[in-house]
Amino acid sequence: MRISARADYAVRAALQLAASRDDAPLKAEAIADTQNIPHKFLESILNDMRRGGLVLSQRGGNGGYRLSRPAESISIADVIRTVDGPLVSVRGVRPPELSYTGPAESLLPLWIALRSNVREILEGVSLADVASSNLPADVSALTKAPSAWANP
């Protein structure tokens, strides 16, 4: 699985909004500066997140962006899907739409299993979990093995 720059920036921006202690909107420039995200790229991402119902925008001198609902109710998967589409695809196609034959026939269940595990992790972690450094125990457990940190 590949996490695009767009998805990474969107999650980081959403986390910045989740970490905002008051309900005051944050300006895109402030988010971009804090998270070291190119401002124009972030504006496009925030617009996608607004259209996707994850953030609200407010115009004016005190304007900016804020989450549309509590951070506890927005999963990392929600953010990624909003800016990048399906979590797992093969050649741009969702796994159930694929078919294989011969020795490649077992690839389909493999891709489905991969998608299931990606969903389980990303749908099971909210913005609030990450912003508070309180990942679910099952996700934290996956990081304990030294091989998890190795690049084969």
Side-chain angles (χ1 to χ4, degrees):
M1 180 182 171
R2 182 180 166 274
I3 306 291
S4 70
R6 186 172 191 80
D8 178 57
Y9 291 163
V11 171
R12 289 166 45 198
L15 289 168
Q16 194 67 46
L17 294 170
S20 178
R21 294 294 173 219
D22 55 16
D23 200 25
L26 295 178
K27 295 195 179 303
E29 298 86 13
I31 298 168
D33 289 345
T34 302
Q35 289 297 321
N36 196 26
I37 300 171
H39 179 252
K40 288 288 187 191
F41 196 22
L42 179 61
E43 284 285 354
S44 172
I45 291 167
L46 288 168
N47 281 328
D48 285 349
M49 292 171 68
R50 182 186 50 78
R51 283 190 295 275
L54 295 181
V55 300
L56 301 172
S57 62
Q58 180 177 323
R59 295 181 185 254
N62 292 328
Y65 296 87
R66 59 187 164 85
L67 294 177
S68 63
R69 57 187 197 262
E72 295 81 8
S73 70
I74 301 174
S75 73
I76 301 300
D78 293 334
V79 177
I80 294 171
R81 282 188 187 113
T82 298
V83 299
D84 265 359
L87 294 176
V88 175
S89 64
V90 179
R91 303 181 324 262
V93 177
R94 292 178 180 197
E97 298 168 16
L98 298 169
S99 65
Y100 297 98
T101 60
E105 200 168 356
S106 293
L107 272 178
L108 183 56
L110 177 65
W111 299 152
I112 296 293
L114 172 69
R115 182 175 75 162
S116 177
N117 279 322
V118 168
R119 279 180 173 171
E120 185 176 339
I121 292 170
L122 295 179
E123 290 175 352
V125 179
S126 73
L127 291 175
D129 294 332
V130 179
S132 67
S133 299
N134 190 21
L135 295 177
D138 56 334
V139 173
S140 291
L142 292 171
T143 68
K144 300 299 183 208
S147 62
W149 297 91
N151 294 324

